Amino acid sequence: MSEPIILTPPLKDEDVVGLRSGDRVLITGTIYTGRDAAHKRLVDLLHEGKPLPIDLAGQIIYFVGPTPTRPGKPIGSAGPTTSYRMDAYSPSLIQQGLKGMIGKGSRSQEVIDAMVRYRAVYFAAVGGAAALISRRIESSQIVAYEDLGPEAIRKLEVRDFPVIVVNDCEGNDLYRDGTEEYAVK
Amino acid sequence: MREVSTEQITTAVKKMALEAAYELGDDVRAALNRGLDRETSPTGRDVINQLLENADIAKEGEFPMCQDTGLAVVFVELGQDVHIVGGDVNEAIQDGVRQGYEEGYLRKSVCHPFTRQNTGDNTPAILHFRIVPGDGIKITLAGKGGGSENMSRVMMLKPSDGKEGIKDYVVQRVKEAGPNPCPPIVVGVGIGGTFEKAALLAKEALLRPLGEANKDPELAEMESELLDRINKLGIGPAGLGGRTTALAVNVEMMPCHIASLPVAVNINCHAHRHKETAI
Ligand code: SF4
């Protein structure tokens, strides 16, 4: 198995176009969290023509709803949540320059099309590997929507955060292609 | 008549809620290791290795193995010669869940169906009681994740669909679930009974240790055939392609109405959490 690719956001188009479905990636640097409620607020702001509380250009959003934080820890267990619930919102954010999303499970054709058109990728973190993932998160700070509690937008500093490219900007899909490759007919 | 206090019950439930979230069962670990031996996909092997390492980290007691620490489902086998003293047994169990989820820093994942307002303490847990002979109490607690529960179904097949129809339905359900229930999964199948009994049988099937076949040879054969067919689907660990889609298929069956053939498929993820206590 090939060596993992190291990525540090903010990502440029050049960083993203070279990624292929199936690549292992380790992310080091800053990523943002967001799930259902935060996505809805961001997209509502865009529709009203108002500025977003964070600049999405080149950034990665992680779909996650962690367990409560123990004293002295940056965060609780923080594995990926199912991504399809964000499908309605992701294309608008990709259009704003979002370069990566981390979650689990398949994305809609609209999201895949937006990733091809605006050059973005979708990464899978391993669903249920939440304790391992949390160890790679060094700090966490709420940057928007504190009132949403566990759904607030947080800025995470991560080191060697392990993900796999599922959808690249050429329209490949590892969920589909991987299953086909290993299916016994 | 043996007396058991509600306090003993609360303490036992609390302990199980905590342990289930942090300690992956030996049977699940062994099944993951068997998967690793057979898995031909490099990505699939990478995923299983991450899951084994994840279980080790969780065991240290700081981070639950998954952030979805589940809705607690509690099965109670209550001996008919037991007298419970000190209050309401239902409340005693709910209290145990409440305390376990709070003290263990576990996520509260229960809400009002319409408003989605969180109940704040992970109750109400789902309770199933059965009265049995004797003067003991056996309590089993399962922390059931939403991602895999959402992929579960009950289907009223036609009697003419027969055994083949049941098998096809189970395989089809796993195929449609794809990567969503966090494979490698455990598949509980309930056959027969009524609409609700089939679902309960499927959930009880998930409680049987992985790698232990049904005592009925016909059902044992069905389990191994289903496991084989599911692992040929190619979904693989985390749904990224591979041969380890399911760790086990457990089937439970009972007679049904002459006009019916109920089948339930209850899918569980690799975070296959359940603990048992005898009082
Ligand atoms: S399906 Fe299971 S492993 Fe996956 S996120 Fe839910 S509880 Fe965790």
Side-chain angles (χ1 to χ4, degrees):
Chain A
M1 166 162 244
S2 56
E3 282 301 297
I5 296 162
I6 314 288
L7 283 182
T8 296
L11 305 179
K12 299 192 194 59
D13 276 6
E14 305 88 274
D15 299 321
V16 170
V17 290
L19 295 173
R20 280 294 154 273
S21 163
D23 284 348
R24 285 194 304 153
V25 172
L26 294 174
I27 301 169
T28 291
T30 306
I31 62 174
Y32 292 91
T33 71
R35 51 183 283 161
D36 312 54
H39 271 75
K40 183 170 187 319
R41 286 200 190 173
L42 292 175
V43 171
D44 284 348
L45 284 177
L46 288 175
H47 286 160
E48 291 162 18
K50 293 191 180 139
L52 300 182
I54 51 169
D55 180 10
L56 290 177
Q59 300 302 336
I60 297 175
I61 291 188
Y62 180 28
F63 307 147
V64 60
T67 56
T69 308
R70 280 183 186 269
K73 298 282 168 206
I75 200 163
S77 267
T81 192
T82 310
S83 306
Y84 68 77
R85 297 194 315 270
M86 268 52 77
D87 282 354
Y89 310 116
S90 291
S92 305
L93 303 186
I94 293 169
Q95 208 174 338
Q96 292 298 309
L98 181 71
K99 284 289 163 210
M101 294 160 285
I102 308 170
K104 69 168 177 111
S106 305
R107 308 308 305 272
S108 69
Q109 195 56 48
E110 288 72 28
V111 180
I112 294 173
D113 291 346
M115 286 190 273
V116 173
R117 180 143 177 229
Y118 298 102
R119 298 177 187 239
V121 287
Y122 171 54
F123 303 101
V126 173
L132 177 142
I133 289 171
S134 296
R135 282 273 170 92
R136 312 289 172 93
I137 300 174
E138 298 186 324
S139 73
S140 152
Q141 184 198 340
I142 294 178
V143 290
Y145 308 145
E146 190 159 6
D147 61 298
L148 292 181
E151 296 210 31
I153 298 183
R154 288 161 182 268
K155 186 175 167 180
L156 305 182
E157 295 302 327
V158 301
R159 176 167 303 278
D160 295 336
F161 188 98
V163 294
I164 295 161
V165 180
V166 172
N167 297 102
D168 57 29
C169 39
E170 296 205 332
N172 296 309
D173 181 352
L174 185 61
Y175 286 131
R176 185 193 60 210
D177 305 339
T179 298
E180 261 170 36
E181 186 180 341
Y182 287 93
V184 182
K185 304 268 149 45
Chain B
M1 189 71 86
R2 187 177 153 240
E3 284 199 351
V4 172
S5 73
T6 46
E7 210 181 303
Q8 275 170 284
I9 293 175
T10 300
T11 309
V13 169
K14 171 182 155 184
K15 188 158 176 277
M16 285 189 284
L18 271 161
E19 285 177 0
Y22 288 94
E23 292 171 24
L24 191 65
D26 290 337
D27 59 333
V28 187
R29 256 175 209 275
L32 285 169
N33 275 309
R34 284 197 296 275
L36 193 59
D37 289 341
R38 278 190 319 252
E39 186 53 73
T40 52
S41 151
T43 305
R45 294 176 55 81
D46 186 36
V47 169
I48 299 176
N49 275 319
Q50 284 193 36
L51 295 178
L52 288 165
E53 193 188 334
N54 185 65
D56 290 340
I57 296 173
K59 208 167 173 211
E60 292 171 22
E62 290 185 331
F63 296 105
M65 67 181 88
C66 184
Q67 78 287 342
D68 181 354
T69 46
L71 177 52
V73 183
V74 183
F75 293 86
V76 184
E77 282 180 27
L78 182 61
Q80 63 190 22
D81 297 329
V82 175
H83 179 209
I84 294 173
V85 293
D88 178 348
V89 63
N90 298 280
E91 248 331 286
I93 296 171
Q94 300 292 358
D95 263 343
V97 169
R98 209 171 271 135
Q99 292 172 19
Y101 274 72
E102 188 56 35
E103 287 175 30
Y105 288 85
L106 309 186
R107 199 178 76 182
K108 320 299 181 293
S109 312
V110 182
C111 71
H112 185 284
F114 294 164
T115 64
R116 313 306 293 177
Q117 173 86 35
N118 200 300
T119 63
D121 60 5
N122 220 52
T123 68
I126 310 298
L127 313 188
H128 299 288
F129 285 93
R130 193 159 68 199
I131 309 293
V132 296
D135 65 359
I137 306 180
K138 191 173 114 186
I139 308 177
T140 310
L141 180 143
K144 189 69 180 75
S148 51
E149 192 75 354
N150 284 346
M151 295 296 115
S152 305
R153 297 285 185 274
V154 180
M155 180 72 186
M156 304 304 279
L157 291 175
K158 294 192 293 298
S160 60
D161 291 328
K163 203 171 155 186
E164 287 311 308
I166 295 171
K167 288 190 274 189
D168 290 347
Y169 180 72
V170 174
V171 174
Q172 188 56 29
R173 181 81 292 273
V174 172
K175 188 173 178 181
E176 281 167 18
N180 291 336
C182 288
I185 56 174
V186 179
V187 186
V189 181
I191 304 171
T194 47
F195 179 78
E196 86 286 5
K197 185 67 184 179
L200 195 54
L201 285 173
K203 184 140 265 135
E204 283 169 353
L206 289 174
L207 301 178
R208 191 189 332 138
L210 307 190
E212 190 180 303
N214 194 301
K215 292 201 174 62
D216 176 341
E218 190 182 12
L219 294 180
E221 196 193 315
M222 190 179 199
E223 290 175 348
S224 79
E225 186 191 330
L226 281 172
L227 182 61
D228 190 52
R229 280 178 64 182
I230 287 168
N231 283 335
K232 284 183 175 154
L233 290 172
I235 297 167
L240 300 169
R243 296 279 157 76
T244 321
T245 301
L247 299 174
V249 179
N250 288 355
V251 179
E252 295 297 335
M253 185 167 83
M254 72 176 292
C256 55
H257 191 283
I258 51 171
S260 312
L261 181 54
V263 182
V265 183
N266 196 188
I267 298 182
N268 205 7
C269 46
H270 54 75
H272 186 61
R273 297 159 286 198
H274 46 86
K275 297 288 165 199
E276 211 179 275
T277 310
I279 299 176

